Each structure stands twice: as C-alpha cells, then as structure tokens.
Amino acid sequence: MKMIPTFVIVLLFSLNLQAQETKIDKSKYPPLVTFTAEQDHANMMEQLGIKALRPGPSGNESAPNHANYDESIANPCPELPDVLTTNDGKKVTTPEMWWNKRRPEIVEGFEKEVYGRLPQDIPDVKWEVEITDYERIGFTPVVAKKIVGHVDNSEYPLINVDINMVLVVPQNVKGPVPVLMMFGRPSLPAPAQPSAEDMVKINKTFKEVLIKDNPELEDVFKRYPAYEPIEREDPFAAFMQRRNQEPSPTERLIAAGWGYLTIDPGSIQADNGAGLTRGIIGLVNKGQPRKPEDWGSLRAWAWGAARALDYLETDSMVDAKKVGIEGVSRYGKAALVTLAFEPRFAVGLIGSSGKGGAALHRRVFGEAVESLTGTGEYHWMAGNYLKYGAEEATFGRKTGCDLTVDSHELIALCAPRLTFISYGIPEQGDAKWLDQKGSYMATIAAGSVFKLLGAKDLGVSNDYMKEEMPPVLKGLLDGELAWRQHDGGHTDAPNFATFIPWASEFLGYEKTPAMRR
Ligand code: GCU
C-alpha cells in the first residue's frame, strides 16, 4: 500500500473539521457563555440578591481562621428537622404516609434548596458498546466492555456530551450478576498479550513498515537479526507482583462474583464552576448560566449514573435489580445523592462523603456550609444553596440552621434500601474536616425511617445527641442501614471486605461457579 504523506493527512483532517464546523450554523443558537468560576459564582449571587458571603474556614488547624473542632460548640441548632413529622406538623405513622406525603416533602426540600432539580426535558442518551474484550482480573476470566453514552445534542449542537464507562463482569459465575457502579476513572483491565506465534507476525510486519518508512533500517535489522522491536509481557507478572498484597476493591468484587462499572463523572459534568455552562447542565441550558433551582454537578453525576443503570437493564450479563452505587469524598456525596434520588439502585457504599454528603449541614465542625458556598465547591450544589452562606442579602442573613432539610433526611430517602456509610480515621488521613461524628449522628437519625419501612437500622437508638460512635473497625452491620469506620485513610477500599458479604447477604446473592465460555 502506498503511504500517504503526513501533510496530506493534516490537510484532509482540517478540511474535514471545517466541513463539520460549517455544518453547525452557530447563528441559530444562543451563544455559549464562557465564564470563569468566579464570574459564574458572582452571577448566581446577583440572581439571589446576595451582597456578601461568609468565607469558609481554613482546613489548616494552625491558621487563625481554622475550622471548628470543639465538640462543645459544634451543634448551634441541635434540634434536627424531624424526619417523621410532616411540614404541617403531623406524625408519620405508616409507610403510606412516608411514601405519599413525607418523602415527597423532603425530596422537594433537597431539590429546591440543596442539590437542584432535574430539568423537565433532558435529552436522551444512546449507549454504544465500543469495545468488548475478554481479559483476566487476577486468575478470573472477565468480559470487559467500553461503553459510551452519546447524549442527543440536536437542540444545541455547540455542546457535546459523551458519557464514558467500563463494565467488567466475571465469566466464571452463573449470571446474571450484581454490579457495583463506581464513580471514577474508567479503564479496561490490562489487555491480554498476543501469543508468542502472533508476536512473531506482529514483529515481522512492524519491521517491514519501519523499513518502508526508512530504508536504512533494513541494514540495522540485518545487523541484529534476533532483535524484536516489540516484546511480549508476561501476562501474570503484574498479578504475581501483587500477590502478597491486599486485593484491590475491584479484585474483591470479581472474586465474589460481582461485576463492576466505572463511570467518569467528568464526562457528564465538569468538576468546576466554569464548566456549568457546558456538560449536561450546559447542554440543557443551551450554554447559558444556571438559575437558582437548577441542578449542580452532584445531581448531574447522579443523573448520569441513573442513565448508566438504564444501559445495565439492557445487558443480559447483569442483574439490574442488584446494582449498587459507590464513591469516595465528593463522589461519596454523589453516590449518596444517586441512591437517594434513584430508587432503582439497590445498594450504596458511601465513602468519606462529608459535608454535602452524610455529614449534617447544620453542624459546625470541620468543613462548613461556607466551604460549600465558596467558588471552589458551589458548583456541586444548586445555586439556592448559596443563601445559607449569606452574611448580607436582600433576604437578610442565613446559616445552615435555616435549612429545612438536613443530611439525615437524605439518608432516609434511601430507605429501606441497603445503605452503608463508610469512613476512615483522621490519624491515617481521613481528615477531621469530614466530620465523621456529624455523619454518624445523621445515620442514627435516619434509622427511624428504615424501621418504619420494615428494615433494620444500626441497631442502637435514634437519639443522635446521645449515641456514641462505635469503636473503629466495629461495624454496625445487622441492618439495611450500616456504618463502619475502618482504620485507613481517605478511601473506602478497606471496607470492601466487609461491604461485599453484607450486601450479598441482604441482596440474597450467592455466587454460583460456572464457566460461561
Ligand atoms: C475537599 C472538600 C470536600 C470533598 C473533598 C474531596 O476536602 O472540602 O468536601 O469531599 O475535597 O472530594 O476530595
């Protein structure tokens, strides 16, 4: 075959780009607004009539404006909104009252003031399996699929949203299998190496191509006849190197007969304020800034996870009734928001989620409401959330104590489904900033809803002001609502060995060995 000179390729490519550009008549659409996070944040303050926000505290304990870590002043408004009392003061005594009256009230509170609403018309996602690959994780054969969700952008072609994910399912169990969806970077398992015979073919062709490109190389290869430009790697080398280490969370899942799916949050919505006029939020808003009740990145990531679940419902290898959602830190918040708002998720592993996740908003310990209303984090939330950090505004001054909902109610929205709240310890890097205690209080207070719906909670009382946190490594795992603080850092990996059997048991899943292929 005749080689095409590079400049011709460049030319063809740029012509093609021009053709694509001209296909979109930009004058037909509102121009895409490009803001910095600071400009977008200022725009939202103006929409809300906020003149000044209180600055968030410093995470550095020796700084003069450091966050509060004094328990005695951490609860300025200890009375939480009662999860089982309706807004008009009625006690919720039956599951029907919960489902028909109280739960919708709480959903409304979170949508309006905290995480934002899903827009009315969100475009459809078309899922495409780009690669189906047969690999191994450790010694277990797996099927790995690289899947892309193309969001229909015909209403506003200036923004493209393609959701990236990778699904990995073990092949040595009788399917369909439960799947844990994880917010994070999707990557295919290390690809299998070609056989020694195939390697010979690859090297032969590779040498020929190189010689065609540079005829001098013919002589070079003659001088080193045994040299092969591409070497075959030992497929088990990496695994053998790791064999004395703890298995990774994904290795544990596969070994237990679970599949996993990693979904890239950034491919749904950027993790910054400047990105709010782009991504799925920007696409729906046709490139314009948000209104105060519009969704933030957490809700957008949760929406993406729900669309990924739509795909899983079509995949025969997956038991879509046994799909979980997992994440750590900001993705721990996203995982909790996902589980709370999407009832098709059966289970959640909520890792070190902190403020905006499991920790109580109205607690003043470590990260504050004022941290979430600053330019670095406000994009996670609805614009309206900024009000609770306002010092001076047309509506006066507000704090976390003015919120009509709090995180115990977010956890309660997950009931009676399986909800595992996970933390590490500050000594190992799961900072006090995250407020483990405030998250424990919220989990305790959520328990009454699990019980009302016939599930079990942590197995202690629901008195969040009195209950003491259990010792580290002592999991409270007897119910659908579970808590465990492991002795590691800012990760949930050490809790997988506890989480997987707990979830499998409640889901009624037993791995049945079988060869599929
Ligand atoms: C910061 C932020 C937290 C967040 C964390 C993370 O510490 O204040 O809210 O959870 O980053 O996502 O890593």
Side-chain angles (χ1 to χ4, degrees), residues 9 48 54 61 84 122 174 432-433:
I9 297 177
L48 293 165
R54 286 179 299 279
E61 275 189 65
L84 287 181
I122 309 179
K174 199 153 170 270
K432 282 196 285 182
W433 179 251

Side-chain angles (χ1 to χ4, degrees), residues 16 98 128 140 147 190 250 297 315 320 389 409 419 423 452 472 482:
N16 185 35
W98 167 257
E128 183 192 352
T140 310
I147 306 162
T250 50
S297 298
D315 193 315
E409 292 169 306
T419 310
Y423 276 96
L452 179 76
V472 175

Side-chain angles (χ1 to χ4, degrees), residues 182-195:
M182 306 164 87
F183 285 114
R185 189 144 38 90
S187 61
L188 287 164
Q193 300 287 313
S195 68

Side-chain angles (χ1 to χ4, degrees), residues 152-199:
D152 178 2
N153 67 347
S154 49
E155 293 286 311
Y156 194 70
L158 307 191
I159 295 174
N160 250 324
V161 180
D162 287 321
I163 304 174
N164 294 320
M165 60 194 205
V166 166
L167 170 67
V168 180
V169 173
Q171 273 201 292
N172 61 345
V173 291
K174 199 153 170 270
V177 297
V179 166
L180 187 63
M181 191 183 293
M182 306 164 87
F183 285 114
R185 189 144 38 90
S187 61
L188 287 164
Q193 300 287 313
S195 68
E197 301 83 73
D198 285 347
M199 222 52 209

Side-chain angles (χ1 to χ4, degrees), residues 271 301 328-333 351-357 367-368 371-372 376-377 380 431 433-434 490:
D271 189 9
W301 294 334
V328 175
S329 211
R330 65 200 62 191
Y331 303 137
K333 308 182 209 298
S352 301
S353 57
K355 201 67 124 210
E367 183 166 25
S371 318
L372 287 169
E377 301 184 359
W380 292 337
W433 179 251
L434 294 158
H490 196 45

Side-chain angles (χ1 to χ4, degrees), residues 68 71-79 361-365 399-401:
N68 175 53
E71 245 331 302
S72 70
I73 52 169
N75 301 301
C77 42
E79 186 90 3
H361 292 259
R362 64 198 63 217
R363 282 260 297 176
V364 179
F365 189 96
T399 72
C401 291

